Amino acid sequence: MRKLKLQMHMSLDGFVAGPEGQLDWIGSFGTDQALNDLINVLLDSCDTIILGRKTTNEIVSYWENVANNQPDSPEYPVAQKIVQMRKIAFSRQQSSINGKNVEVKNGDLVTAVQALKNEPGKDILVYGGAQFVSALIANDLIDEYYLFINPIAIGSGLKIFKNRKILKLKKSISYNNGFVMNAYING
């Protein structure tokens, strides 16, 4: 069975977005090659990305722009992989979303994710947003958590953990740009 891996930015005070979903506080990976290398390894272990509808357009347009227009960017290798990967947006309202290799799934989230986990292939990566990830956590669908702690406290915002969740630390790595990546598995 494939694993579902969450990769998400988090502030020091535990928020994944500002009160209105703002992401302007998230720092760039581009300045730390070791961090870029870790993200490439994580991407290489997966062949599918799942997203909530609200964040799909933003994520898809950002990475397609880097892949199509910024070959000198340190994020270019990551962008190339993300653009080429299968991306599934979960939505109750839309039946299609523009973007390369993007498909939309409607219906029951738990049933759809369990079916994806049972498909052959590499693992599955989750890229957000807060409400979507909270639903995955509440239904105990995430197997591994890769939380990129940004060196900033934002004071208020959106959280992904709504209830107590016991996790076991798999590894923790600090980077020169101030990021800390904590990897957890279900405890």
Side-chain angles (χ1 to χ4, degrees):
M1 178 179 284
R2 304 194 305 170
K3 293 179 192 170
L4 186 58
K5 299 176 179 180
L6 170 66
Q7 178 187 325
M8 195 159 218
H9 286 273
M10 186 175 281
S11 66
L12 286 173
D13 47 354
F15 298 105
V16 297
E20 303 298 321
Q22 306 94 318
L23 300 175
D24 57 339
W25 54 271
I26 295 176
S28 172
F29 288 158
T31 58
D32 195 306
Q33 189 55 49
L35 189 51
N36 281 328
D37 291 344
L38 174 70
I39 292 166
N40 273 301
V41 167
L42 189 55
L43 280 168
D44 288 342
S45 72
C46 299
D47 62 10
T48 304
I49 296 171
I50 64 171
L51 309 129
R53 177 197 54 83
K54 292 178 184 176
T55 57
T56 299
N57 288 331
E58 191 174 317
I59 288 173
V60 168
S61 65
Y62 177 81
W63 290 111
E64 286 185 3
N65 180 53
V66 173
N68 295 332
N69 302 310
Q70 301 175 33
D72 296 328
S73 169
E75 294 179 321
Y76 184 76
V78 169
Q80 292 289 91
K81 289 178 185 180
I82 290 172
V83 169
Q84 295 305 317
M85 288 176 80
R86 176 187 185 198
K87 290 171 283 300
I88 301 171
F90 285 82
S91 176
R92 292 185 195 107
Q93 303 163 357
Q94 291 180 250
S95 59
S96 68
I97 295 175
N98 291 333
K100 187 168 184 179
N101 299 317
V102 177
E103 58 188 88
V104 176
K105 287 213 182 271
N106 307 110
D108 182 64
L109 176 65
V110 174
T111 302
V113 170
Q114 287 173 336
L116 284 170
K117 290 173 84 170
N118 285 319
E119 288 179 359
K122 294 181 179 181
D123 291 334
I124 304 161
L125 197 56
V126 182
Y127 270 174
Q131 185 177 1
F132 177 66
V133 170
S134 290
L136 295 171
I137 292 169
N139 287 289
D140 204 30
L141 294 169
I142 297 176
D143 300 295
E144 296 180 3
Y145 296 75
Y146 294 85
L147 302 177
F148 292 88
I149 310 304
N150 285 239
I152 186 171
I154 62 173
S156 64
L158 305 176
K159 294 190 173 217
I160 56 172
F161 296 102
K162 306 296 183 190
N163 296 303
R164 181 182 296 225
K165 182 75 174 168
I166 298 173
L167 301 173
K168 180 179 176 184
L169 183 65
K170 185 175 166 182
K171 67 180 163 183
S172 184
I173 305 169
S174 62
Y175 296 92
N176 292 333
N177 63 3
F179 282 87
V180 175
M181 188 286 299
N182 290 324
Y184 297 94
I185 57 175
N186 284 317

